[in-house]
Amino acid sequence: MVRRWHAAVLAVLAAFALACEGTGQAGGSDPDPDRPPQTGLPSSMAALGDSITAGYGSCIALVVCGRNSWATGLNPDVRSHYLRILRDNSAIRGRRHNLATPGARAAGLRAQADAAVRARVAYVTVLIGANDVCRAGSVAGMTDPADFRAQLDAALDRLASGLPRARIVVVSIPDLYRLWEVGHTDDGAVRAWGRGICPVLLARPRSTAAADERRRRDVDRRVTAYNRALAGACRAHRDQCRYDEGAAHRVRFTLAMVNRLDYFHPNAAGQARLAEETFPRRFAR
């Protein structure tokens, strides 16, 4: 009976999140009719990546909530890339594709790139790597940096060949070690992480044992290696690709910017900060 009740509650919460997803483009999403259209802005876009870009956990349940996505969301408080473009270019209205999948790793990015090519979009965002870190409970289980780079290259090669005029923005992986720093003294975060959230980093969060300290530092170094790979892959396609130069990684996340269910995924405030820090200040090439 308890399990049935629990499942019913989750179903209601998921339905509520989906309802929020379809509330339309309220608030600041409509372009200003008195503002002259800005040239050089894309008229379609796709977002590639994992649960962060999907908006997972940013509503009231641990489900996808694309309304709050930093890339394609409709929440005016988040001011996603899509809404920022829409403000000056109404041609993009409704032409957004969030292809991000919770749990996705760099190995799955090529398939998302294929979908973006089929959609024939003019602008693509890429944020990937957190699951390559968190995929296992040990440092040895993380994706090898060389494999990570090869998988990125395959995806960006596909975008470049299939969408030769599209602009691509590659976003750095947020500072996961920072999350441990601000959360390991919080009882709620520790309880949530105990349910298996990114165990390679967040298991035994209050332990000061040398092995646990070393494990966390190894995770931090691996994120740095992945961010170097993201930057390098983008440079290899410099005619189309722009890296955020570590802007997302430099965000000083606090617990007020993650949800209070898993203390890992950004809430609406965290998504808004990602949108602000990663939006290209200049689109013209």
Side-chain angles (χ1 to χ4, degrees), residues 92-210:
I92 199 173
R93 182 185 298 281
R95 302 184 67 190
R96 60 189 178 92
H97 307 267
N98 195 321
L99 306 172
T101 305
R105 303 196 299 266
L109 199 60
R110 168 60 193 266
Q112 294 184 20
D114 286 337
V117 170
R118 290 194 296 271
R120 301 175 62 85
V121 297
Y123 174 49
V124 181
T125 64
V126 178
L127 171 53
I128 199 75
N131 290 307
D132 290 274
V133 173
C134 297
R135 60 185 291 183
S138 67
V139 173
M142 294 188 290
T143 303
D144 182 82
D147 292 338
F148 185 80
R149 172 62 191 269
Q151 292 156 2
L152 289 173
D153 285 335
L156 292 183
D157 286 346
R158 176 60 177 136
L159 291 173
S161 62
L163 301 170
R165 298 180 62 83
R167 282 158 291 187
I168 305 165
V169 166
V170 171
V171 175
S172 54
I173 302 166
D175 190 347
L176 301 182
Y177 186 83
R178 164 75 179 175
L179 183 63
W180 169 80
E181 284 185 315
V182 300
H184 76 280
T185 58
D186 184 274
D187 290 341
V190 169
R191 282 194 298 271
W193 296 345
R195 294 191 285 270
I197 305 299
C198 196
V200 68
L201 174 66
L202 301 176
R204 300 180 296 281
R206 288 178 171 161
S207 170
T208 59

Side-chain angles (χ1 to χ4, degrees), residues 182-268:
V182 300
H184 76 280
T185 58
D186 184 274
D187 290 341
V190 169
R191 282 194 298 271
W193 296 345
R195 294 191 285 270
I197 305 299
C198 196
V200 68
L201 174 66
L202 301 176
R204 300 180 296 281
R206 288 178 171 161
S207 170
T208 59
D212 290 318
E213 296 279 11
R214 183 169 56 251
R215 167 176 52 84
R216 290 189 284 264
R217 288 297 181 183
D218 285 343
V219 169
D220 191 39
R221 283 189 285 269
R222 185 59 57 91
V223 170
T224 297
Y226 288 169
N227 280 334
R228 289 198 189 104
L230 289 163
C234 198
R235 281 196 301 270
H237 299 84
R238 59 173 52 90
D239 289 342
Q240 290 182 258
C241 190
R242 298 292 180 271
Y243 181 57
D244 77 344
E245 301 301 336
H249 186 76
R250 287 194 298 272
V251 172
R252 301 292 287 171
F253 272 94
T254 67
L255 293 186
M257 298 165 69
V258 296
N259 74 63
R260 294 308 176 97
L261 297 173
D262 65 10
Y263 285 81
F264 186 83
H265 289 90
N267 58 18

